[in-house]
Amino acid sequence: MQESGIRGKFEELFGQLPDVIAAAPGRVNLIGEHIDYSDGYVLPFAITERTYAAVRRRSDRLVRIASAQRGNMVITVKLDDVRPGLKGQWERYVLGVLWALKIDHGVDVMIDGHVPLGAGLSSSAALECSVAIALDELFSLGFDLKALARLAQKAENGYVGVPCGIMDQSVALLAKPGSALLLDCRDLTSRDIDFDLASNALELLIIDTQAHHSLTDGAYAQRRASCDSVVTKLGVQSMRELTLNQLEESQDLITDNEFIRARHAVTEIARVLDAVQALESQDFVELGHLLNASHRSLRDDYEVSCSELNTAVDSAISAGALGARMIGAGFGGSAIALIKADQSQGIIREIKIAFGGKGFKPPRFFTSLPSQGAQIIQRAPQI
Ligand code: ADP
Ligand code: MG
């Protein structure tokens, strides 16, 4: 496993070699969007791109942090000042992990990676998890991967202040190469599902639209509130307990808007289980249909798509993709397309032409096969 040259960069910046190097990947959620907070299932996989964290124990109580993606500027913080509410920028993701893991020593931390930032591929969880697993190794904390996922989530929720679910951290830590991770958001149990694109000559194309429409925060809260309201009005614990039939029979008890929001949640939960079946029978044509249905549901019922995402999806499908959908919270970010590996260039060209024709910013493209979760690349020295 490459360590992306971070060993040398660490030494250049901090004057000594790191004690531990770890890496954690970004992720794509194949299907199961906007249902983590409805007790649903999600089916993410780790992408090839990863974030590296190199750490070294210090003998004092200072924390020094730098990232190659932030100009290698060294940020110095006193460990005793680290608490939620301390102002800062990106380094709060790292400090949040120190806080969640209750680290009581000074450390030097250097970050470098290839997960695109803010593209919906969860660079934030890759960052948190690379640091979490590196610190666990450095200080022999002995947390298992699930516990580390919860602590990394705690860092993002409680320290950075982003109310994310547990999916991103779970997949960054638990993913297996050639597999997607079926995660039950109700009890956090998980199962590896074979997702062997390579031997089927398939590939997953990730299209970063580079669009970021600003209404995301309010819209996210509104969607959650609609789901909560339906659950209360229908007297159920969560959307997980509702079938589409039951929802349709109860339509009079909720508003039209609540009905379509709930219809997305209920059908999307079912689609994840159908996708697992499709994967288990290696039926990638069916998987493509499910991706398309997920996109239509997010676009028409949940109303979280945007023109750039719809253009990416529509042009991928018309250029021959087996299926495509927006991923992430919506209103920008990335879409995915399940494609035949040998059609990749043609599909990319068609999407670029469609974006150009509409005057959108050019998208960025990545392809990825399901990859390995977090790893220790350089173990701690034996003391
Ligand atoms: P996403 O997780 O989809 O990439 P987020 O907004 O949740 O988007 O997280 C992106 C933020 O995480 C960045 O703005 C930055 O603060 C932080 N971040 C992630 N990776 C790095 C990195 N390699 N170096 C510095 N900061 C990073
Ligand atoms: Mg994030």
Side-chain angles (χ1 to χ4, degrees):
M1 164 56 65
Q2 280 202 350
E3 38 95 333
S4 133
I6 197 171
R7 212 172 130 78
K9 289 184 194 167
F10 186 100
E11 189 181 22
E12 233 169 76
L13 212 58
F14 294 124
Q16 283 173 305
L17 286 169
D19 291 329
V20 171
I21 301 174
R27 62 94 187 97
V28 161
N29 186 20
L30 184 59
I31 196 159
E33 208 64 75
H34 274 288
I35 49 168
D36 53 343
Y37 49 83
S38 290
D39 275 357
Y41 298 98
V42 291
L43 192 59
F45 66 89
I47 58 172
T48 322
E49 279 74 23
R50 47 203 61 225
T51 299
Y52 296 82
V55 296
R56 182 181 174 90
R57 184 186 190 125
R58 293 175 59 89
S59 51
D60 57 15
R61 295 181 66 76
L62 283 185
V63 178
R64 295 192 297 175
I65 308 176
S67 165
Q69 284 68 56
R70 289 288 182 266
N72 294 320
M73 283 261 303
V74 178
I75 299 163
T76 305
V77 181
K78 290 190 192 120
L79 188 61
D80 299 304
D81 292 342
V82 174
R83 58 171 185 284
L86 181 67
K87 287 203 169 33
Q89 309 289 326
W90 71 272
E91 77 282 3
R92 293 167 68 236
Y93 289 88
V94 177
L95 295 174
V97 175
L98 287 166
W99 167 78
L101 268 60
K102 300 192 165 68
I103 301 298
D104 200 29
H105 285 270
V107 276
D108 288 339
V109 182
M110 161 99 209
I111 304 297
D112 191 9
H114 307 287
V115 183
L117 274 56
L121 302 177
S122 203
S123 69
S124 57
L127 172 56
E128 292 147 13
C129 293
S130 63
V131 173
I133 194 171
L135 292 173
D136 181 73
E137 165 72 12
L138 179 62
F139 294 110
S140 306
L141 302 177
F143 288 115
D144 66 23
L145 294 176
K146 282 193 174 176
L148 280 181
R150 275 191 292 274
L151 290 166
Q153 181 200 16
K154 181 176 172 189
E156 188 153 345
N157 294 166
Y159 197 97
V160 184
V162 178
C164 60
I166 189 76
M167 171 173 80
D168 299 350
Q169 292 81 7
S170 299
V171 64
L173 287 161
L174 300 172
K176 301 276 184 330
S179 295
L181 186 77
L182 175 65
L183 182 70
D184 182 338
C185 299
R186 184 158 64 182
D187 60 12
L188 301 186
T189 52
S190 63
R191 185 154 71 88
D192 295 320
I193 307 292
D194 265 1
F195 183 28
D196 188 1
L197 290 172
S199 43
N200 288 282
L202 296 171
E203 212 168 63
L204 215 99
L205 179 66
I206 301 162
I207 308 137
D208 174 7
T209 65
Q210 305 229 56
H212 299 281
H213 299 295
S214 57
L215 31 86
T216 315
D217 287 349
Y220 179 80
Q222 281 165 16
R223 301 301 183 279
R224 283 192 77 142
S226 301
C227 291
D228 289 346
S229 172
V230 171
V231 159
T232 310
K233 287 182 182 173
L234 302 189
V236 288
Q237 286 276 321
S238 72
M239 297 292 175
R240 176 82 166 266
E241 290 171 23
L242 285 176
T243 62
L244 186 56
N245 264 343
Q246 285 167 329
L247 180 66
E248 282 168 349
E249 279 163 13
S250 316
Q251 195 166 354
D252 294 348
L253 303 174
I254 55 180
T255 66
D256 290 349
N257 192 267
E258 285 167 348
F259 175 73
I260 55 173
R261 301 295 189 250
R263 185 165 61 187
H264 166 71
V266 169
T267 58
E268 185 77 356
I269 291 172
R271 274 187 293 272
V272 179
L273 297 179
D274 291 346
V276 169
Q277 267 196 353
L279 285 178
E280 283 172 342
S281 49
Q282 301 239 357
D283 186 348
F284 291 103
V285 171
E286 175 60 12
L287 180 64
H289 292 154
L290 291 164
L291 295 181
N292 294 343
S294 171
H295 184 74
R296 285 195 299 271
S297 178
L298 287 158
R299 183 190 64 195
D300 302 336
D301 277 356
Y302 225 58
E303 297 181 286
V304 289
S305 192
C306 63
S307 321
E308 292 87 346
L309 286 167
N310 294 336
T311 301
V313 165
D314 294 345
S315 46
I317 295 171
S318 61
L322 279 77
R325 72 174 197 89
M326 58 156 281
I327 58 168
F331 307 108
S334 296
I336 54 171
L338 180 65
I339 62 172
K340 298 195 176 114
D342 61 4
Q343 292 191 336
S344 167
Q345 288 316 312
I347 293 176
I348 288 175
R349 195 171 51 241
E350 289 303 315
I351 298 172
K352 279 186 180 161
I353 292 171
F355 268 60
K358 295 198 171 169
F360 297 153
K361 209 171 156 185
R364 291 189 295 175
F365 297 92
F366 311 88
T367 58
S368 188
L369 296 174
S371 299
Q372 167 76 51
Q375 293 150 290
I376 303 290
I377 291 165
Q378 180 193 309
R379 295 223 154 262
Q382 302 296 318
I383 308 169

